[in-house]
Amino acid sequence: MSAQMSERAYAWVDDRLAISRGGRKLLDKIFPDHWSFMIGEIALYSFLVLVVTGIFLTLYYVPSGSDTVYHGAYAPLVGQKMSISYASTLDLSFGVRAGLLMRQAHHWAADIFIGSIVVHMLRVFFTGAYRKPREINWIVGATLLTLAIFNGFLGYSLPDDLISGTGLRIGFSILESIPIVGQFLAVWLFGGNYPGTAAIIPRFFIIHVLILPLVIIGLISAHLAMIIRHKHTQFPGNGAREDNVVGSPLWPVYAAKAQGFFFLTTGITFLLGAFVQINPIWLYGPYEPYKVSYAVQPDWYMGWLDGALRVMPAWEIHLPGHMIPNAFFPGILLPGLTFGAIYAYPFIEAKLTGDRREHHLLDRPRDHPIRTSIGASVFAFYFVMFGASATDVLANYLHLDLNYVLVFFRYVTVVVPLLVLAIAYKLCKELQGTDGGGRRKRANVVMRSATGAYSTVPVAPHPGDVQAALEPVAIDEVELVPVLVNGGNGDGTTAPPADGDGEHVYRIPREYR
């Protein structure tokens, strides 16, 4: 009886929303089998971990900058004055079952989320997957990266410990450095001059847990919808053309692969949260505006900005009645140029090359040496900036003067990207002229016959070099199997229904999926 009621309920909904027709089309969607397409899946799954762990943390965290005296489980800080936010984070870490695990898993998931977005965008850039008709999706991805970095900084600031307070101090200075409007924006956001008022923590909390997550969810949904609309890009070969997609259908092959990958991503994230300590705020102590933490670097996605602030020379521009301070150039101008270039690059390349065709096949990076060398050079620049965020630690560890380390990074910031630009371009040109370039070489075994003659025999292929795959079969060459939907004969058969009783859709036989 219950089964019949469920079928009737589904039939009632399906008659009005045509779920079967749209669902079958979605389930039969083909996904390429190349491993690099799973990088974006890591970002999606880590975001799901962020949402789940974030909900758990929200139940115990108290977003308040008001003062209290700590009387919790962490003995070294008992009796000390601190903000309610910091005290609640300590209680969450030491007084809530699995609280520290969830907090550290949340932090690791944020690092993985942003990291996978970066790697995914690098894959898209170096293979030319941002070209027509996917320019808007590239813009959506760049916006996701921007919001993810900003939201990571907000979440990093919520515990109100000394290291996050130092980050807020830097953030206030960067915001204040914007010409003309900077001081007004900083005072408006912080509720007053530095260090602001107790309202800053609740404001950051609302933005971090409500506003930006909703925007990110909307952008992820738009990103996935455009992937379905435009279909997947794919590497050439194995029957792949501009007008088809070669790979596995969403159901059941890709769904099983994605499910396993989801559990793998989630498991690794929680293993990191359980065994690899991150952001031990109890060691830093509560935030005091007149104190600055030492030998502690921000999360990796903010390291390049911190390094740029350190190596930037003491340049300032004095205008009549106004000054552009030093922090403006590395803190506002550099990120603005960076993300402005990311947003504009698809259109710049299309303008310079005159290529405005639709592209569904990906490029090998070696086949576009200019694009590849530019991307490698820019990546090298920010990698050096990331290393510069540890100048104080390097100076202390290597027993060097801090000024010497800063000067060294100022030089390599210019020299290393230029070297990478030239080397990457040269490598691409060399690979273009090499038969089989980019593939792993197979060794030869030298054999000697009984008569003394020598010959060579190639060894067996390396594991993974030869992948077993079905030959691609065009859909119009397959005998389609009818599937009954929306009523029909009422007996579950696939015979043609009577006029007006229902309709058929068709699916590819299982042996071709």
Side-chain angles (χ1 to χ4, degrees), residues 120-421:
H120 179 64
M121 291 192 68
L122 286 174
R123 197 275 301 174
V124 170
F125 176 83
F126 285 114
T127 59
Y130 52 80
R131 293 172 296 178
K132 183 181 178 180
R134 297 174 178 83
E135 301 95 334
I136 296 178
N137 220 357
W138 170 262
I139 293 174
V140 169
T143 306
L144 272 172
L145 176 60
T146 306
L147 295 180
I149 291 175
F150 185 63
N151 208 30
F153 171 75
L154 294 180
Y156 178 80
S157 305
L158 290 179
D160 202 31
D161 58 294
L162 183 58
I163 184 174
S164 66
T166 303
L168 282 178
R169 185 190 192 101
I170 297 173
F172 185 93
S173 300
I174 292 175
L175 189 60
E176 195 178 27
S177 70
I178 301 176
I180 303 176
V181 299
Q183 186 174 8
F184 300 100
L185 289 175
V187 171
W188 170 73
L189 181 61
F190 281 74
N193 289 320
Y194 181 81
T197 65
I200 184 63
I201 298 296
R203 290 179 181 179
F204 279 13
F205 179 74
I206 293 299
I207 298 173
H208 177 72
V209 305
L210 180 61
I211 298 176
L212 288 185
L214 290 177
V215 177
I216 291 174
I217 290 174
L219 290 175
I220 292 177
S221 302
H223 182 72
L224 296 176
M226 280 187 280
I227 289 177
I228 295 175
R229 172 65 181 84
H230 296 143
K231 77 179 183 179
H232 267 284
T233 55
Q234 57 187 341
F235 287 101
N238 195 27
R241 304 189 308 268
E242 290 281 0
D243 59 348
N244 70 351
V245 179
V246 177
S248 305
L250 174 61
W251 184 266
V253 180
Y254 190 82
K257 185 192 302 183
Q259 182 183 27
F261 207 63
F262 167 73
F263 288 124
L264 180 65
T265 304
T266 304
I268 291 176
T269 303
F270 275 92
L271 284 174
L272 288 171
F275 296 106
V276 183
Q277 180 175 271
I278 188 170
N279 198 23
I281 60 168
W282 52 90
L283 300 180
Y284 310 138
Y287 173 49
E288 297 290 348
Y290 57 87
K291 294 182 180 179
V292 178
S293 57
Y294 165 73
V296 179
Q297 277 61 52
D299 280 291
W300 72 268
Y301 51 84
M302 296 297 294
W304 64 275
L305 183 60
D306 185 43
L309 289 166
R310 296 185 186 214
V311 302
M312 178 67 192
W315 296 344
E316 293 178 342
I317 298 178
H318 294 268
L319 301 175
H322 193 76
M323 180 188 73
I324 301 179
N326 173 266
F328 169 78
F329 302 102
I332 299 295
L333 183 60
L334 178 62
L337 292 175
T338 299
F339 286 97
I342 291 174
Y343 282 113
Y345 189 85
F347 308 99
I348 294 174
E349 182 180 284
K351 179 69 175 178
L352 294 178
T353 61
D355 184 2
R356 302 186 183 279
R357 300 168 299 162
E358 286 196 4
H359 291 274
H360 302 289
L361 288 179
L362 298 174
D363 296 328
R364 299 289 180 184
R366 62 177 176 269
D367 295 332
H368 287 264
I370 295 179
R371 178 204 298 157
T372 301
S373 57
I374 290 175
S377 177
V378 172
F379 181 79
F381 172 80
Y382 289 104
F383 188 81
V384 173
M385 287 290 98
F386 173 79
S389 65
T391 51
D392 54 341
V393 177
L394 291 173
N396 185 45
Y397 182 78
L398 300 175
H399 304 289
L400 298 173
D401 188 286
L402 178 60
N403 291 323
Y404 292 157
V405 179
L406 288 173
V407 171
F408 169 79
F409 273 101
R410 286 171 183 168
Y411 279 107
V412 298
T413 298
V414 178
V415 174
V416 169
L418 294 177
L419 288 176
V420 171
L421 178 72

